[in-house]
Amino acid sequence: MNNLDLSSEREITARAINSFAHTHDARLRFLLQTLVGHLHQFASEVELSEAEWLQAIQFLTATGQKCDDVVRQEFILLSDVLGLSMLVDAIEHRSGVEATQSTVFGPFYIAGMPERKYAENMALIPGSASLITGYVRDAAGNPLPGAILDVWQTAENGQYSGQDVAQPHGNLRGRYRTDEQGRYAIRSVVPVSYPIPTDGPVGDLLQASGRHPWRPAHLHFMLDAPGHRRLVTHLFNDDDPYIDSDAVFGVKDSLRVVYEPRFASDPLAEQFDIGTDFHIATFDFVLEATA
Ligand code: BEZ
Ligand code: FE
């Protein structure tokens, strides 16, 4: 007969932590034991009721049920609105190396999107034309030819292709490469601010907390170059009304860019066959070496 007094909260916590003591993988053991300790501490501190715990379980169940195999990942969304994604991002990039800052990945990336030529237009539906251009370099300032920029953004209706079935395959998505000088150029439309999906449990959470669901306008990037660490980031429109209140805490000042208006008569419009008034943003990326 076990004579430990299980009515003591501390004893319950100690026993639960101990039950993971034989986890073979040392890191996994550390993560599990620390997690259980913090979870128990939280429940004791807030004096969690059974009804509240049941509500939390129902919330997490609904979060899982909202996920699908294609574009909807409600758990990433949950992590994002809790600020956890950005905290993990900050921990992952503690190195202090001088490189372009990263930000949240988000749930709308799709792999295998079309390879696009230098300055090819990835907007398959007309909109407010934009040109984004600059260099990709290493931390010493050397250009990185052949770097890949995997890019995605919403259409002017605030939805991503894949999420919005009315958009053609690959709309506002694509993989660009830097040229021999390490330059890239992307033709697109000026990004717009948009609300993250609110038709699931994360939307209910925002509503219950009086929080808005908006993200400031941005263009997503995932950059890869041999010998360099992958960079996942965005470029944010500097003048966006939500720039200081991103629903997922992703904005970093170094990632803000200004879209400057240019006329159709601008030499760049001719060079890139734009044919209308457009906006231009420039940004140079710096990648961190892996070794
Ligand atoms: C996005 O920018 O695509 C995104 C990021 C976090 C949550 C929802 C959307
Ligand atoms: Fe986005």
Side-chain angles (χ1 to χ4, degrees), residues 108 152 154 160 194 215 218 220 234:
F108 293 116
W152 65 107
T154 70
Y160 288 91
Y194 66 87
R215 296 218 64 206
H218 58 272
H220 289 259
H234 306 354

Side-chain angles (χ1 to χ4, degrees), residues 34-265:
T34 309
L35 176 68
V36 169
H38 284 285
L39 275 176
H40 282 230
Q41 161 66 24
F42 166 76
S44 291
E45 184 184 327
V46 303
E47 299 180 334
L48 196 65
S49 72
E50 285 185 341
E52 287 164 341
W53 179 225
L54 185 60
Q55 203 180 348
I57 286 176
Q58 284 164 346
F59 176 83
L60 291 173
T61 304
T63 300
Q65 286 168 339
K66 195 71 190 169
C67 296
D68 64 36
D69 293 339
V70 191
V71 281
R72 192 63 186 261
Q73 228 306 346
E74 197 75 358
F75 275 111
I76 294 184
L77 214 52
L78 179 58
S79 161
D80 294 339
V81 302
L82 294 178
L84 190 57
S85 303
M86 285 308 294
L87 178 62
V88 172
D89 171 75
I91 295 163
E92 187 73 32
H93 295 90
R94 276 175 177 169
S95 72
V97 172
E98 281 298 312
T100 300
Q101 289 191 291
S102 52
T103 188
V104 64
F105 188 51
F108 293 116
Y109 174 72
I110 301 179
M113 285 295 106
E115 285 189 27
R116 300 204 184 273
K117 297 197 182 62
Y118 188 82
E120 183 178 331
N121 192 356
M122 67 173 186
L124 308 180
I125 300 171
S128 172
S130 71
L131 176 68
I132 303 97
T133 183
Y135 288 84
V136 180
R137 297 199 173 93
D138 68 14
N142 303 306
L144 293 173
I148 292 171
L149 301 95
D150 206 337
V151 184
W152 65 107
Q153 71 170 90
T154 70
E156 290 176 343
N157 68 358
Q159 299 232 307
Y160 288 91
S161 58
Q163 179 189 22
D164 170 12
V165 289
Q167 290 179 42
H169 174 79
N171 187 41
L172 296 166
R173 297 178 182 270
R175 283 179 293 154
Y176 291 82
R177 257 174 212 278
T178 52
D179 67 8
E180 305 75 53
Q181 277 79 49
R183 267 183 324 214
Y184 71 91
I186 298 161
R187 278 207 46 210
S188 186
V189 293
V190 178
V192 296
S193 33
Y194 66 87
I196 63 170
T198 52
D199 60 340
V202 171
D204 298 342
L205 176 70
L206 292 179
Q207 170 106 45
S209 332
R211 283 177 54 183
H212 77 68
W214 289 85
R215 296 218 64 206
H218 58 272
L219 178 55
H220 289 259
F221 286 87
M222 183 160 74
L223 280 83
D224 283 291
H228 292 80
R229 188 171 180 188
R230 169 173 283 177
L231 171 67
V232 172
T233 195
H234 306 354
L235 295 182
F236 293 93
N237 300 28
D238 185 63
D239 61 353
D240 192 278
Y242 297 104
I243 197 81
D244 294 320
S245 67
D246 183 1
V248 304
F249 313 101
V251 178
K252 293 177 179 173
D253 282 347
S254 66
L255 302 176
R256 292 168 67 155
V257 292
V258 175
Y259 283 81
E260 290 172 9
R262 297 279 176 95
F263 292 118
S265 55

